[in-house]
Amino acid sequence: MATLPAAAAPRRHRRLVRHTLDLKLSPYAYVAPFFLLFCAFGVFPLIFTAWVSLHEWTLTSDVHTFIGVENFGTLLADGYFWNATFNTFSIGVVSTVPQLVLAIWLAHLLNRPLRAQTFFRITLLVPNVTSVVAVVVIFSQLFGRDYGLVNWMLSWFGIDGVAWAEGTATSHVAISAMIMWRWTGYNALIFLAAMQAVPRELYEAATIDGASHLTQLKKITIPMIRPTIIFVVTVSTIGAMQILAEPLLFGAGSGAGGITSGGPDHQFQTLALYVYDLGFNKFDFGYASAASWVMFLFVVVAAGVNYLLTRRIGGAFK
């Protein structure tokens, strides 16, 4: 029986060790860049913001006095903060719920055999890739009080011109329309990708049994894509809690006054816009950091509640 040379055994052992280390350590090396970036731009800002929130920290002073949770106590007694909280939830609900329902419906339509499917799918992405500045400028004109297209159409039904930017409910509807227009197609494509993985045999069997397209959507599609629905609802909730660009630019484009205050009466100031106003207009970083942390907690709670509701609703369709 042939034996390996004396020098071959150590080389083989070293190759085996390298191979073992490669199998065990390579996955960590591949994901390490993400975690490094996450720690640098995610974990560290959270920790530093928490530290700043415990101080009287302004850009107009070099002295940062430690005041404990005083900023949080002042924040919870601030009427403007709760007004921004209400506006955020209101705009979030008005924009997210119809958006997701419409996205599922559009995805269901595109999941059926249609001509020029690729064209329609690409068209759904056009609003999302359009500059948010252009979107807000156009919608500000559409919802203009004197010469807006929306008011012109309402005049057909005898409704006088609506000052969309001046009222709380009307401004929320206008901003929600911008958000829906931008994100409905994007979410529809996510739902469509999930629907493509549903076995076609299920639809064929349902068609043979006489099930309508609406019944197939309720009994087959929605239960099968429930994980995707939960993901989209969670991401949409987080996005809705962080709305900034639309109300900021809407206030500038509509001439409502108080760009960062969300109108003269703060009627469409969101939490993100409230934090922006505190930090970059009033330079009160300590107070803004406290508001940011409370906002973060609201996002976690809202995402968790939506997750539980979505799971319960998805189970009801089974």
Side-chain angles (χ1 to χ4, degrees):
M1 181 177 178
T3 57
L4 292 174
R11 287 199 299 268
R12 183 179 180 182
H13 177 70
R14 286 195 295 269
R15 285 197 299 267
L16 181 61
V17 171
R18 285 198 298 267
H19 179 70
T20 303
L21 291 176
D22 181 60
L23 290 178
K24 292 184 177 181
L25 299 181
S26 291
Y28 298 99
Y30 295 147
V31 300
F34 164 76
F35 284 103
L36 290 175
L37 291 174
F38 177 72
C39 290
F41 299 101
V43 177
F44 173 73
L46 279 176
I47 297 175
F48 186 70
T49 303
W51 173 252
V52 173
S53 68
L54 302 177
H55 294 74
E56 186 178 352
W57 196 302
T58 65
L59 292 184
T60 57
S61 174
D62 295 331
V63 179
H64 308 309
T65 307
F66 182 83
I67 57 176
V69 296
E70 183 178 328
N71 281 327
F72 292 93
T74 305
L75 182 71
L76 296 179
D78 189 349
Y80 290 128
F81 168 74
W82 292 112
N83 173 73
T85 302
F86 167 77
N87 292 339
T88 302
F89 279 98
S90 174
I91 295 174
V93 171
V94 174
S95 64
T96 302
V97 175
Q99 174 195 150
L100 296 178
V101 173
L102 183 58
I104 291 178
W105 178 70
L106 288 173
H108 180 66
L109 292 179
L110 291 177
N111 195 37
R112 300 167 56 186
L114 293 173
R115 293 182 178 179
Q117 282 187 339
T118 303
F119 170 76
F120 289 117
R121 293 173 184 178
I122 294 175
T123 303
L124 288 178
L125 272 180
V126 172
N128 186 250
V129 300
T130 304
S131 169
V132 63
V133 177
V135 172
V136 176
V137 168
I138 292 173
F139 272 83
S140 297
Q141 298 301 317
L142 291 176
F143 286 97
R145 182 182 61 182
D146 298 322
Y147 305 104
L149 180 62
V150 175
N151 279 345
W152 177 65
M153 295 177 64
L154 291 177
S155 66
W156 299 350
F157 304 96
I159 301 177
D160 296 332
V162 178
W164 294 94
E166 296 178 9
T168 300
T170 54
S171 61
H172 292 186
V173 170
I175 294 173
S176 297
M178 305 176 201
I179 299 171
M180 289 176 58
W181 190 82
R182 285 193 67 212
W183 293 103
T184 298
Y186 177 83
N187 289 326
L189 288 180
I190 296 179
F191 288 134
L192 178 61
M195 292 178 185
Q196 294 286 304
V198 178
R200 307 304 302 178
E201 294 80 5
L202 296 177
Y203 294 108
E204 294 172 359
T207 302
I208 294 174
D209 292 339
S212 64
H213 289 292
L214 180 59
T215 302
Q216 294 179 24
L217 176 63
K218 292 171 57 178
K219 299 298 183 181
I220 298 176
T221 305
I222 292 180
M224 293 294 290
I225 66 170
R226 187 174 64 168
T228 304
I229 294 176
I230 294 175
F231 167 77
V232 172
V233 169
T234 303
V235 173
S236 298
T237 302
I238 294 173
M241 294 293 294
Q242 298 175 339
I243 299 171
L244 172 66
E246 285 82 2
L248 176 66
L249 297 173
F250 182 67
S254 61
I259 297 176
T260 58
S261 62
D265 296 325
H266 301 262
Q267 63 267 28
F268 54 89
Q269 185 183 49
T270 60
L271 281 172
L273 196 56
Y274 176 76
V275 172
Y276 180 89
D277 184 43
L278 290 175
F280 297 100
N281 276 352
K282 300 176 181 178
F283 303 115
D284 192 346
F285 278 18
Y287 197 48
S289 298
S292 298
W293 258 95
V294 175
M295 177 181 167
F296 170 71
L297 296 178
F298 283 168
V299 170
V300 172
V301 172
V305 170
N306 265 344
Y307 172 76
L308 296 177
L309 290 177
T310 306
R311 290 193 62 182
R312 184 179 294 261
I313 293 173
F317 279 99
K318 290 186 176 180

